[in-house]
Amino acid sequence: MSEPKAPTPTPGDTYKGWLFKWTNYIKGYQRRWFVLSNGLLSYYRTQAEMGHTCRGTINLATANIAVEDSCNFVISNGGAQTYHLKASSEVERQRWITALELAKAKAVRMQAESDDSGDECSTSPPSAGQGLGARNSEVQSTLRTLGSKVEDLSTCNDLIAKHGSALQRSLSELEGVKLGGDTSDKIRQVTERATLFRITSNAMINACRDFLALAQAHSKRWQKALQAERDQRVRLEETLEQLAKQHNHLERAFRGATVLPASPSNPTADSKGSGPGKGDASDDDDNEFFDACEDVQEFITIPADPKYHRSGSNISGISSEIGMDDGTTSLDEQSLASNPESPQSQEVVPVRKRRTRIPDKPNYSLNLWSIMKNCIGKELSKIPMPVNFNEPISMLQRLSEDLEYSELLDRGAKCQSSLEQLCYVAAFTVSSYSTTVHRTGKPFNPLLGETFELDRLQESGYRSLCEQVSHHPPAAAHHVISERGWTLRQEITVASKFRGKYLSIMPLGSIHCIFDKSNNHYSWKKVTTTVHNIIVGKLWIDQSGEIDVINHRTGDRCHLKFAPYSYFSRDVARKVTGVVTDKDGKAHYVLSGTWDEKMECSRVMQSSRGGENGTEGRQKTVYQTLKARELWRKNPLPEGAENMYYFTQLALTLNEQEDGVAPTDSRRRPDQRLMEQGMWDEANAEKQRLEEKQRSVRREREREAVRLASTAEEAVIEDSITDSPLKTDDVEFSSDPSDSAFKSAPQDNYTALWFEQVVDEATGEPTHIYKGGYWETKEQGTWENCPDIF
């Protein structure tokens, strides 16, 4: 085999050649083509494979190089990769060892320099004019110096080659000379030439040392200059991208809005302030992405004409000018804050000091797949899950967390306009999802008859009560009454499916909000929650779907869209957009933001629709809006929240022990309390005990229902024999659980204690509403009617 007779490599050189690599005990050493470049050693079966197939690569920065014998050596990076190699000769092995050591030293040095780059030099870009000229002059001077050093190295190289050849000839002659009179002359000649070679070599070594010192002195400065140029290029690219979007934005508005007046203002003047903010609906993508998206927005927004921007924040004076009929008040935070009746201006006097911490979450390991592999396709509520997947609150307490931002409804109760009030209600619906962004734990499934009260009458002006009214299917009823002019009620049934890679949670049921002063009745439904990476990877949560918030009194509507996360989308993550329209479909406000951060509102001055068959894709409606105003912003998490299940300040207080609550309250649940205290093994045992107790109670209720049905059936048969005119209201009773009449009965055979089922007048759906009596019973302390569920 012909081996390349390459010189000893220098740092930065690419070194290539054939080596024998150990494969296995059957094939032994196999000939492979190795390439050493940029601190990486790669190998291929043949040289032709270099363009398409690399068989393996090892990073020399973290590798160990060991010599075994005259031809063999080993390269290893700590166990993950180990190459047993053999060269054709000892000389060739030494060439590879030298090249590998030089490449490793360079790789380690470059890694160290990249780690501390930026700490030693300023990163500010050079200024124009004098600074640029000085930098160019410095670069030219350095290049000239380096050029002269390179010439010195070239001269020394020629001299070394010349004197080396002469020395080799003298040595050859010396070998052929017999010991005689001219021996001393030959030896003297060899000595002189060796001296010349040594002097030339020293000169070259000194020149190399000077060159290396100079290059090292300027290397970091050049790196910093290059980084400054890169940063400046990135800033220019971002600026160009923004200008391109604004150009595309205005071009679309011009083509689609045939009645819009031409705005003489600078198109970039309000690019940040006049749109809906971070989740701006005008932040559209290029045309080629429209066909790939199923649910592209149907509108874009642009800044309104300057004639609409009056001094001051109140825009009610232009209502008659633009034909607005939505009242005389505006979404002005300052006016709300200055209102003496505003909830923000009221002095908050807490009844008690609430806790701000709970015990830190223990670090327990669990084999997830061993539990979840048998759960695919099943209803999650029917699967016995250990508390390792839970967080120490129940689903009833999780529903009460929707009141985290109840001040939005307080502000809505002060609005004179139903459309403005609808904006606050829509922001409240979005705010309820902000607590879920990091909450990957599952709340405890409530036991049938379990309740939870949240009395914040003096702190926030409301009282909340939840009750688990059904277990199969699981359903919870929730009622909130506020002294600040609103009532909230909901019945939520959760349907969940485990699909292997993700878990879908689909809340069923409606949420209702009624304002006392205006008698406006709003209703909406929740969107789907998806938990990703159930088996492998880090868990993360996404909210997706659409919500229609409807005012049943006026016909006003707010359509909210929660955009699902997509790897291919260039839009902001967790984006929410919406439009508030009246009963005639006329848009009055545009909402935009994210469900984990904030929501903003922009008032619509004018709107226009493009052609049905135009080139605008699906974005056919253009809204001219005023400057966006912030409706809601997420509160920061408490310090150390990552160790406390990412609970908010309100969530930390939900399971705090309180006196006087009902015996069925979630705070009294023992397995939940044990988990909060970090005793998970005891919590798992207690959880199994409670579930078995609930199942036995349910079986007893079913047996009692069958007994009553059999008794009624016997009475009907006996009455028919005696020709009695006894009526049964056409109800058939059956004791067979497989009978359809038996299945049509409520599975739990349970009557809620504080709620009753009625048909909602607004939606026509059956729902549970609060029938009263809980707070009066609490004041009296008479809980005899509460079931023993714990």
Side-chain angles (χ1 to χ4, degrees):
M1 180 178 64
S2 176
E3 299 292 342
K5 302 299 182 181
T8 300
T10 58
D13 284 352
T14 298
Y15 196 67
K16 305 177 182 179
W18 291 100
L19 288 172
F20 292 92
K21 179 180 177 297
W22 176 263
T23 56
N24 52 51
Y25 286 100
I26 297 177
K27 295 183 178 181
Y29 283 96
Q30 296 293 320
R31 190 168 177 257
R32 297 289 183 261
W33 179 257
F34 280 81
V35 177
L36 173 61
S37 178
N38 297 325
L40 299 175
L41 179 65
S42 306
Y43 74 93
Y44 310 84
R45 286 188 176 179
T46 63
Q47 292 175 264
E49 279 192 349
M50 291 180 59
H52 55 85
T53 305
C54 178
R55 300 294 175 174
T57 301
I58 191 169
N59 189 354
L60 295 178
T62 58
N64 295 321
I65 304 172
V67 178
E68 291 186 336
D69 53 29
S70 60
C71 295
N72 292 14
F73 58 100
V74 178
I75 304 174
S76 175
N77 62 354
Q81 288 176 295
T82 301
Y83 294 168
H84 294 269
L85 306 176
K86 181 171 67 173
S88 59
S89 65
E90 185 176 357
V91 175
E92 185 64 24
R93 186 216 65 184
Q94 188 57 42
R95 289 176 180 172
W96 274 104
I97 293 296
T98 303
L100 292 170
E101 293 289 355
L102 291 173
K104 177 181 177 180
K106 181 181 179 182
V108 172
R109 184 170 62 253
M110 292 181 63
Q111 184 176 4
E113 290 177 357
S114 64
D115 290 341
D116 60 2
S117 64
D119 298 335
E120 302 177 7
C121 302
S122 172
T123 61
S124 59
S127 59
Q130 182 178 0
L132 184 60
R135 191 178 67 180
N136 290 335
S137 176
E138 180 183 1
V139 171
Q140 293 297 329
S141 175
T142 304
L143 289 176
R144 284 194 297 270
T145 305
L146 291 176
S148 65
K149 293 297 181 182
V150 170
E151 292 178 0
D152 293 343
L153 290 175
S154 178
T155 302
C156 291
N157 181 68
D158 295 339
L159 290 174
I160 286 178
K162 176 181 177 182
H163 293 304
S165 299
L167 180 60
Q168 185 64 38
R169 287 195 303 271
S170 298
L171 291 174
S172 299
E173 293 175 358
L174 183 61
E175 293 177 355
V177 172
K178 299 180 180 179
L179 294 178
D182 58 349
T183 302
S184 58
D185 295 336
K186 294 295 184 181
I187 293 176
R188 185 173 61 255
Q189 186 181 6
V190 170
T191 303
E192 291 175 355
R193 292 179 177 177
T195 302
L196 290 174
F197 185 79
R198 185 176 65 254
I199 293 172
T200 306
S201 299
N202 290 336
M204 184 173 184
I205 291 172
N206 293 333
C208 289
R209 186 184 299 112
D210 294 341
F211 181 85
L212 180 61
L214 186 61
Q216 289 177 342
H218 292 278
S219 175
K220 289 190 176 181
R221 299 180 61 184
W222 290 344
Q223 289 179 5
K224 284 299 156 188
L226 179 61
Q227 186 61 39
E229 295 292 343
R230 289 175 177 173
D231 294 341
Q232 187 174 5
R233 186 188 67 181
V234 170
R235 288 192 293 270
L236 289 174
E237 289 177 352
E238 292 177 351
T239 303
L240 287 174
E241 183 179 359
Q242 292 295 329
L243 290 175
K245 286 184 177 182
Q246 292 172 8
H247 175 77
N248 189 25
H249 184 105
L250 294 174
E251 188 180 33
R252 289 175 179 278
F254 176 75
R255 292 202 306 263
T258 57
V259 298
L260 290 182
S263 175
S265 61
N266 186 356
T268 62
D270 292 327
S271 61
K272 292 184 179 180
S274 59
K278 178 180 178 183
D280 194 344
S282 66
D283 209 10
D284 49 1
D285 294 339
D286 296 334
N287 293 340
E288 59 267 27
F289 292 99
F290 289 161
D291 293 337
C293 299
E294 293 296 331
D295 298 316
V296 181
Q297 283 182 212
E298 299 292 336
F299 65 90
I300 59 175
T301 60
I302 63 173
D305 194 274
K307 71 179 181 178
Y308 297 124
H309 293 272
R310 304 290 182 85
S311 59
S313 58
N314 194 338
I315 60 174
S316 61
I318 63 173
S319 297
S320 59
E321 178 182 350
I322 60 177
M324 299 287 285
D325 57 352
D326 59 341
T328 59
T329 58
S330 65
L331 293 169
D332 191 350
E333 302 293 343
Q334 295 181 355
S335 63
L336 286 172
S338 61
N339 188 347
E341 297 181 0
S342 173
Q344 291 183 340
S345 62
Q346 293 182 359
E347 192 71 23
V348 177
V349 181
V351 176
R352 53 178 291 182
K353 184 177 180 181
R354 305 287 178 179
R355 67 180 183 181
T356 58
R357 289 198 61 83
I358 61 174
D360 288 350
K361 177 182 178 181
N363 186 16
Y364 286 116
S365 61
L366 185 67
N367 187 354
L368 180 62
W369 178 244
S370 64
I371 298 175
M372 303 299 280
K373 66 182 179 180
N374 297 322
C375 305
I376 298 177
K378 295 182 180 180
E379 180 73 24
L380 190 66
S381 61
K382 298 181 180 180
I383 300 171
M385 304 290 285
V387 300
N388 304 59
F389 296 103
N390 288 23
E391 55 184 11
I393 61 174
S394 72
M395 188 62 190
L396 303 182
Q397 293 166 317
R398 193 72 176 264
L399 282 179
S400 302
E401 275 194 81
D402 288 355
L403 303 172
E404 174 89 16
Y405 300 96
S406 62
E407 66 271 11
L408 291 171
L409 299 181
D410 296 340
R411 286 188 236 168
K414 302 297 180 183
C415 292
Q416 300 296 324
S417 165
S418 62
L419 292 168
E420 291 179 5
Q421 189 178 73
L422 182 54
C423 291
Y424 283 111
V425 175
F428 175 78
T429 66
V430 177
S431 70
S432 63
Y433 297 99
S434 64
T435 61
T436 66
V437 62
H438 299 297
R439 302 274 289 279
T440 56
K442 185 180 79 70
F444 278 78
N445 291 332
L447 301 174
L448 186 60
E450 185 175 335
T451 61
F452 177 73
E453 68 164 69
L454 185 63
D455 191 348
R456 294 292 188 269
L457 199 59
Q458 296 192 25
E459 293 102 320
S460 303
Y462 67 81
R463 278 178 168 177
S464 166
L465 176 65
C466 290
E467 181 180 0
Q468 186 75 1
V469 296
S470 175
H471 190 64
H472 287 300
H478 185 202
H479 181 82
V480 189
I481 182 67
S482 174
E483 291 185 338
R484 297 175 183 174
W486 53 270
T487 301
L488 183 76
R489 59 179 173 85
Q490 61 179 320
E491 180 181 348
I492 298 297
T493 300
V494 178
S496 53
K497 290 293 184 181
F498 175 59
R499 300 298 185 185
K501 292 183 180 180
Y502 63 91
L503 174 69
S504 295
I505 302 172
M506 298 150 286
L508 308 175
S510 300
I511 307 172
H512 300 263
C513 183
I514 302 98
F515 289 93
D516 301 341
K517 185 176 180 180
S518 61
N519 202 29
N520 287 327
H521 182 174
Y522 300 91
S523 70
W524 65 93
K525 298 178 182 291
K526 289 181 174 287
V527 296
T528 299
T529 300
T530 307
V531 184
H532 295 270
N533 294 342
I534 295 294
I535 301 299
V536 179
K538 183 179 180 181
L539 293 175
W540 61 278
I541 291 179
D542 192 27
Q543 313 285 351
S544 60
E546 298 181 0
I547 294 179
D548 281 317
V549 185
I550 304 173
N551 187 339
H552 296 280
R553 189 184 69 85
T554 63
D556 302 335
R557 180 186 298 263
C558 177
H559 181 75
L560 293 171
K561 178 181 177 181
F562 289 66
Y565 177 80
S566 173
Y567 290 104
F568 306 103
S569 175
R570 293 184 295 175
D571 214 338
V572 63
R574 307 182 182 97
K575 184 176 180 181
V576 181
T577 56
V579 179
V580 174
T581 58
D582 58 20
K583 62 180 180 179
D584 299 323
K586 180 180 179 181
H588 292 264
Y589 293 98
V590 172
L591 304 180
S592 185
T594 57
W595 54 263
D596 68 324
E597 184 178 353
K598 66 177 181 178
M599 286 296 293
E600 294 180 337
C601 175
S602 302
R603 188 167 186 176
V604 177
M605 294 292 99
Q606 276 189 326
S607 63
S608 173
R609 287 188 176 274
E612 292 297 330
N613 298 319
T615 60
E616 298 302 313
R618 295 192 182 185
Q619 294 185 347
K620 299 179 181 180
T621 305
V622 179
Y623 296 123
Q624 283 189 333
T625 61
L626 294 181
K627 184 177 180 180
R629 296 186 180 276
E630 187 173 275
L631 293 174
W632 159 78
R633 179 175 289 274
K634 180 184 176 182
N635 296 329
L637 290 174
E639 183 179 357
E642 64 277 3
N643 299 322
M644 300 184 294
Y645 308 89
Y646 287 99
F647 279 0
T648 63
Q649 196 62 56
L650 174 63
L652 289 174
T653 66
L654 293 179
N655 204 42
E656 187 175 11
Q657 291 183 342
E658 292 188 13
D659 297 331
V661 298
T664 55
D665 196 272
S666 298
R667 299 176 181 89
R668 299 183 182 273
R669 184 165 176 167
D671 53 348
Q672 188 172 295
R673 181 67 58 190
L674 288 170
M675 183 192 177
E676 182 185 281
Q677 295 171 355
M679 296 183 287
W680 285 15
D681 293 336
E682 295 84 349
N684 275 315
E686 191 65 21
K687 181 173 181 290
Q688 293 180 6
R689 183 189 68 83
L690 292 176
E691 290 174 349
E692 182 57 35
K693 180 180 179 180
Q694 180 174 238
R695 284 191 287 268
S696 63
V697 172
R698 183 186 179 191
R699 287 193 294 267
E700 182 62 30
R701 282 200 307 268
E702 290 176 349
R703 284 194 293 267
E704 182 65 18
V706 170
R707 187 186 64 80
L708 293 176
S710 300
T711 303
E713 186 177 6
E714 291 175 358
V716 171
I717 295 174
E718 182 180 356
D719 186 68
S720 63
I721 294 175
T722 58
D723 296 326
S724 173
L726 178 64
K727 295 187 179 294
T728 61
D729 295 328
D730 298 328
V731 177
E732 295 184 1
F733 297 94
S734 173
S735 59
D736 184 5
S738 62
D739 187 84
S740 59
F742 185 87
K743 289 182 178 180
S744 64
Q747 296 185 29
D748 288 318
N749 298 312
Y750 173 80
T751 301
L753 191 59
W754 310 110
F755 290 81
E756 60 182 354
Q757 190 172 32
V758 299
V759 177
D760 187 84
E761 297 179 356
T763 62
E765 300 175 349
T767 184
H768 282 81
I769 63 172
Y770 178 60
K771 61 183 179 182
Y774 178 86
W775 303 106
E776 294 79 7
T777 303
K778 180 181 178 181
E779 292 177 359
Q780 300 170 5
T782 56
W783 301 108
E784 289 80 5
N785 294 331
C786 291
D788 179 19
I789 61 175
F790 299 144

